[in-house]
Amino acid sequence: MEYTTLGNTGTTVSRLCFGTWRFAKESGGTVETDREEAHDLLDAAWEQGINFIDTANVYGDPNGTSEEWIGEWLADRDIHREDVVIASKVYFPFDGRGEPGPNDSGLGRKHIRAQIEGTLERLGTDYLDVYYIHRWDEDTPIRETMQTLTELVREGKVRYLGASSMAAWKLTKALWTSDVEGLERFDVTQPMVNAAQYDEVGDYLDVCADQDLAVCPYSPLSGGFLTGKYDRAEDGSVEAPDGSRGSLDEMFDDYYATEQAWDVLEAVESVADEVDASPAQVSLRWLMDQDRFTCVPIVGARTPEQLEENVGAVEVDLSDEQFERIDAARGADD
C-alpha cells in the first residue's frame, strides 16, 4: 500500500479509502452486505494496508447500522484507534430512531449536535477524523453550520471538516465564511469524480486545487462502468451482466454510458492491456495520479476479491502519455 498526506492536513492515509455504503443496505428486500460480510471486508481492507474508512450516519437499514458494524469490528479486533482514520457524514433525514422528525435532517446546530453524538456512540469512539457535510443545506445559514462544526473540532470530537457534493460557488462561500469569521474550514472534499465524469465537477475541482483541499471521490469507477464488464450492443444500448448495476438501474444507460464514457473506457482498456492491469486498476490509478490535488478514491468492493483487485491499482505505473491519452478521451484537449 502507498500512503499520502490528506491534502493540507497532518494526517496520513492509504491511497485508497474503503467505503461502507453497502453495509446493511437493502435492495429489493435483500441486504447487499450483511454483518459477517462487512467484517470480512473490513478485515481484508486492513490486511491490504487500507487505514481510511468512510461511512455516514444514514448508511444501512435502519440508518446507523453501517457505523454500528464498524464500531463492532473495531472493538473485536486488536487495532488501536489511532491507527485508523474514520470519516462519517451528516445532513440527510435520519431514521435510526424511527420516522424522522422535523429536526432530524439538515445542517442546523440542533441536528448536527444530535447526530455527532449518535455517530460517536455507534462507532464506539471519542472522535471522528473527518466529518463531512453530506450535502448543502439551503435552509440553514452557512455561518451557523461552520460555527457548530468549529465547536466540534475545538471540543476534540472532530479532527477535520469535509464537504461532499455541492456547487463550486457554495464550497467557495463556505471557505470564505470560515476565513472571515475565524472558523475552522473544510480540508477534505467528497464529490463524484471518475475519468468518465470528471468534467461535471470541473469548477468544484478547480476550487479544491486552488485551496489545497484533498479530494476523496465516490463512484471512482463510474458505477462499475469503468471496470470493463459492460459491452455496447449494435443499437447503442448497454449489454450488462445479470445482477450488475447496469441490469438493475433503468437510468444506467443515460447516466453512465454516455458517448464520452465509451471513449474513455476504450482508452482505459487500451492502457490496461499495455500495463498488464485491469481497467478498474487503471481507472483508480488515473485518479491517484492527479497532480493538482491529493486524490484518494473511495472503493466500495462487494467481495474481498474485488477489493484485492482494487488495491492492485497502487502497483500500476502510468506513463505521462498513457495518462494524457485517457485525459484526451474525455475531451480534455478541447
Side-chain angles (χ1 to χ4, degrees), residues 96-111:
R97 298 186 296 108
E99 186 68 23
N103 287 301
D104 282 335
S105 64
L107 297 176
R109 180 173 282 107
K110 185 175 179 64
H111 182 60

Side-chain angles (χ1 to χ4, degrees), residues 85-159:
V85 179
I86 302 176
S88 193
K89 310 177 188 73
V90 62
Y91 169 75
F92 287 111
F94 179 79
D95 69 9
R97 298 186 296 108
E99 186 68 23
N103 287 301
D104 282 335
S105 64
L107 297 176
R109 180 173 282 107
K110 185 175 179 64
H111 182 60
I112 291 176
R113 280 288 184 177
Q115 290 306 307
I116 188 62
E117 296 302 331
T119 285
L120 295 178
E121 180 179 357
R122 288 186 291 273
L123 287 168
T125 183
D126 295 329
Y127 71 95
L128 284 177
D129 295 282
V130 181
Y131 201 28
Y132 291 99
I133 61 169
H134 215 155
R135 292 293 186 273
W136 181 271
D137 185 353
E138 299 286 355
D139 299 321
T140 301
I142 190 60
R143 182 174 181 272
E144 175 178 333
T145 298
M146 300 312 300
Q147 281 183 327
T148 306
L149 294 173
T150 295
E151 293 166 5
L152 298 183
V153 173
R154 295 176 182 175
E155 291 167 11
K157 294 181 178 180
V158 173
R159 296 292 188 258

Side-chain angles (χ1 to χ4, degrees), residues 107 132-138 142 145-146 162-175 186 188-192 200-205 207-208 213 218:
L107 297 176
Y132 291 99
I133 61 169
H134 215 155
R135 292 293 186 273
W136 181 271
D137 185 353
E138 299 286 355
I142 190 60
T145 298
M146 300 312 300
S164 189
S165 298
M166 64 184 67
W169 71 265
K170 293 178 179 179
L171 177 60
T172 303
K173 180 178 180 179
L175 294 169
F186 294 128
V188 189
T189 61
Q190 191 178 125
M192 188 179 80
E200 295 181 16
V201 289
D203 291 344
Y204 184 102
L205 295 176
V207 176
C208 295
L213 308 182
Y218 70 92

